[in-house]
Amino acid sequence: MRYELLGPLRLVDEATHTISAPKVETLLAALLIRANQPISTDELLDELWGNEPPKRARAALHVYISHLRKNVVQPAVDGAAIRTHAQGYLLEVDQGSVDVFHLKALHARGRDLLDRDPESALEAFTAAARLFRGPVLAGIDNGLIVGSFARWAEEARLECLEVIATCSLRLGRHRELIGDLSRWVEEYPLNENLREQLMLALYRAGRRAEALDVFQSARQVLREELGLDPRKTMRRLQFAILSSDAELAIAG
């Protein structure tokens, strides 16, 4: 069994499964986020009901845990188990079966290789970015545990995209990068790193006017959304493009 959090929550073996009961789905997500770590009953109650738990919330939590043990997390099937802990519960699971641990391993490998082997770093970060299947834990109410995880995961994905662009530019793959960067800029319109990388990729591909258009678009969006002008590095890049600075043609 594989447990996938980097998109709508799903379980995958010979087939793909989802959890139809919202509270049970939220509970499983919280336990997976804290996989192999104890999580207190109070934290789980807060995650499921916030500041307004029902009178029999603890009894309901026990029912949900029992349901997961009987129908989802079964030691005989994949070795995973929900253990009762002194102050709550612990989901014991092989890290290799949870996509988040795979993401962290690929990210660490990419970071380690970034300065000395951009080709291998690019492969690692590309594989990491492909683990994301859509909005993280889409459809699950954002309590503290799920909300914090979703924000972290979104930041991790964005970092992967930025580093993919950095490595591709170092390797002289600016032409192949333009399509992806254009999509990422649409997805993250306020991200100046991606816009600068798109400007540079377009310029190196001989599309100087389009690179300058990216700057103008950034200035308009930033002023409308944040009341700010583009940052200094983007303004410097615009000037370098306008003056056809020879250094822009040097990757890395």
Side-chain angles (χ1 to χ4, degrees), residues 5-247:
L5 297 167
L6 300 173
L9 177 62
R10 70 182 190 181
L11 292 70
V12 182
D13 46 23
E14 292 84 3
T16 299
H17 313 276
T18 58
I19 307 294
S20 58
K23 294 297 185 189
V24 176
E25 183 183 36
T26 299
L27 175 59
L28 178 59
L31 290 168
L32 284 167
I33 290 167
R34 298 278 188 86
N36 301 318
Q37 303 175 52
I39 178 169
S40 73
T41 297
D42 287 342
E43 286 182 285
L44 291 173
L45 293 174
D46 287 343
E47 194 69 16
L48 292 172
W49 290 287
N51 296 324
E52 298 181 355
K55 290 182 179 180
R56 296 183 56 79
R58 288 178 183 272
L61 174 60
H62 296 326
V63 171
Y64 299 152
I65 289 288
S66 178
H67 176 83
L68 287 175
R69 282 171 167 163
K70 291 178 181 177
N71 301 290
V72 180
V73 182
Q74 300 172 300
V77 176
D78 61 1
I82 299 175
R83 309 291 185 191
T84 300
H85 190 264
Q87 295 168 343
Y89 298 94
L90 181 150
L91 174 55
E92 189 176 274
V93 65
D94 180 359
Q95 291 188 358
S97 65
V98 185
D99 60 356
V100 177
F101 291 106
H102 192 197
L103 170 67
K104 291 179 178 178
L106 287 167
H107 182 277
R109 172 174 168 76
R111 274 290 163 200
D112 181 60
L113 293 168
L114 188 55
D115 292 332
R116 53 190 171 86
D117 188 352
E119 179 77 55
S120 296
L122 176 61
E123 292 177 2
F125 279 104
T126 298
R130 286 175 178 162
L131 291 174
F132 290 87
R133 298 173 288 105
V136 172
L137 295 178
I140 296 180
D141 290 339
N142 279 353
L144 180 60
I145 297 172
V146 171
S148 296
F149 172 78
R151 289 188 294 273
W152 169 84
E154 185 62 33
E155 290 172 1
R157 177 176 181 264
L158 179 56
E159 181 183 0
C160 288
L161 301 184
E162 291 176 352
V163 178
I164 288 169
T166 296
C167 292
S168 297
L169 288 168
R170 286 183 185 176
L171 294 166
R173 298 176 186 173
H174 38 271
R175 294 183 189 277
E176 303 97 304
L177 182 64
I178 290 171
D180 286 335
L181 269 175
S182 298
R183 289 191 296 273
W184 300 340
V185 164
E186 288 184 7
E187 190 174 353
Y188 299 97
L190 301 179
N191 185 283
E192 293 180 88
N193 289 335
L194 294 174
R195 285 188 180 272
E196 288 177 13
Q197 291 168 324
L198 179 56
M199 289 172 66
L200 185 56
L202 286 166
Y203 178 77
R204 287 180 177 170
R207 297 161 65 174
R208 180 171 177 268
E210 291 174 71
L212 294 171
D213 286 343
V214 172
F215 176 84
Q216 296 300 333
S217 174
R219 181 162 61 182
Q220 180 179 350
V221 169
L222 290 168
R223 284 180 174 176
E224 290 177 353
E225 297 294 328
L226 302 176
L228 299 173
D229 284 320
R231 65 189 184 186
K232 186 180 294 185
T233 54
M234 189 182 291
R235 298 198 303 271
R236 287 176 177 169
L237 179 57
Q238 181 210 26
F239 180 79
I241 291 172
L242 285 168
S243 57
S244 299
D245 191 327
E247 290 190 9

